[in-house]
Amino acid sequence: MRFLLDDEQREFARSLDGMLTAAGTPAAVRAWAAGDATPGRALWSRLAEAGVLALAVPERHDGLGPLPLELAVAFTELGRHAVPGPLVETVAAAALLDRLDDSGGSGSSGSGVEEAAAAWLPQIASGKAVVSLCVPAACGPYALDADAADAVLVVEGDTLRLAETAGPVQPSADPARRLARPLGGTVLARGPEVGAAAAHAAEVAALATAAQSLGLGRALLDRTVEYVKQRTQFGVAIGSFQAVKHRLADTLIALEFARPLLHSAALALAEGAAHASAEIAAAKVTAGEAAYAAARTALQLHGAVGYTEELDLALWIRKARPLRDAWGTPAACRARVLAP
């Protein structure tokens, strides 16, 4: 089976690429890392105007979705341009609230979820709300960008709460990924349906993170290809060396192998297929490892200049490993793929 995007989806990707190229995301990334969310929030609003966030929100709450394949297309471009902020967590939070709201407050979830869904989902779709999500069983005890988010949802076992505040920001391999432990808060729902909805949200997060990794890897490869055409050694461009060509070819093959896995996983999620979880895990580990390999290749072939913080390339390189491990480490994803 061939997994090819249609003309509309490809045009959507091109429009996002053009918009983000013109926006100059490196400045927004550096500002976000320094604790200034203003440029990032402005970019967030532009993405919402393009319909990106509405893809995760159902129509009954002013959204367009859920549309997993289009979401994967969009997040590939977000990864390509290293857009900062808890975008993955926001769409995962939307998936969580949608799934619980769709149950109509059955069981012991109560009306708190219905009120939260009515309050937050339209704001997510319009880009007015930045929401982070913490599911310790899937992503550890820290919430991404809790200090910049308008709301932080936390799932612990069968309990969903809206955090009251967050602890201090912790050091991260990627300075633009600001991690903090959510504290306190109001219980919105309790019951087994909370755990099921959280598992679904984690799968949406894993899919979006895989897409980000794929886009990140392609950006690293493209920048490296351009650099090896310009850097010379022994009077010739290093890109003409056979060893360099082979390294770049291996990187490209790994990324291209991940692309159909990502699209297949998105289709499986959209159809509610029983094997969707395994497909998402396969896409996540493959895209994450490919992006991490692309980062190592970029660092090696750029030489000493690749280590400098002043070079924009560093903003991309430092994202590769955190994305590889976020919402499912390689070991965890492989275990899901191999599970009976």
Side-chain angles (χ1 to χ4, degrees), residues 162-238:
L162 179 64
E164 180 179 2
T165 185
V169 174
Q170 302 298 311
S172 172
D174 174 10
R177 291 180 63 86
R178 298 170 61 83
L179 303 171
R181 189 187 296 269
L183 305 172
T186 304
V187 173
L188 298 179
R190 283 195 179 95
E193 65 275 8
V194 172
H200 170 67
E203 290 183 348
V204 172
L207 179 73
T209 304
Q212 277 189 319
S213 295
L214 178 62
L216 178 79
R218 284 310 307 252
L220 286 165
L221 177 61
D222 292 345
R223 287 168 178 259
T224 305
V225 168
E226 289 302 314
Y227 182 75
V228 299
K229 291 178 181 178
Q230 302 169 14
R231 180 185 172 190
T232 60
Q233 193 172 17
F234 308 117
V236 298
I238 64 169

Side-chain angles (χ1 to χ4, degrees), residues 233-296:
Q233 193 172 17
F234 308 117
V236 298
I238 64 169
S240 64
F241 299 160
Q242 198 73 8
V244 172
K245 290 180 179 179
H246 285 171
R247 185 69 181 268
L248 293 171
D250 288 343
T251 302
L252 175 61
I253 290 170
L255 290 167
E256 286 302 303
F257 184 72
R259 187 185 304 277
L261 292 179
L262 175 67
H263 295 164
S264 176
L267 289 172
L269 182 62
E271 296 168 356
H275 53 80
S277 179
E279 291 212 26
I280 292 170
K284 174 67 170 60
V285 67
T286 306
E289 295 283 31
Y292 187 45
R296 297 199 306 271

Side-chain angles (χ1 to χ4, degrees), residues 19-20 23-25 28 38-48 83-84:
M19 182 189 77
L20 293 171
T25 55
T38 302
R41 291 293 294 251
L43 187 57
W44 192 286
S45 296
R46 295 187 63 184
L47 290 170
V83 177

Side-chain angles (χ1 to χ4, degrees), residues 50-99:
V52 171
L53 297 168
L55 295 171
V57 177
E59 293 183 9
R60 68 180 183 278
H61 287 295
D62 303 331
L64 301 172
L67 297 171
L69 182 55
E70 285 72 14
L71 203 65
V73 171
F75 271 79
T76 300
E77 297 306 316
L78 300 183
R80 186 191 302 274
H81 292 275
V83 177
L87 286 151
V88 167
E89 287 67 24
T90 295
V91 299
L96 172 71
L97 292 174
D98 177 31
R99 181 59 63 94

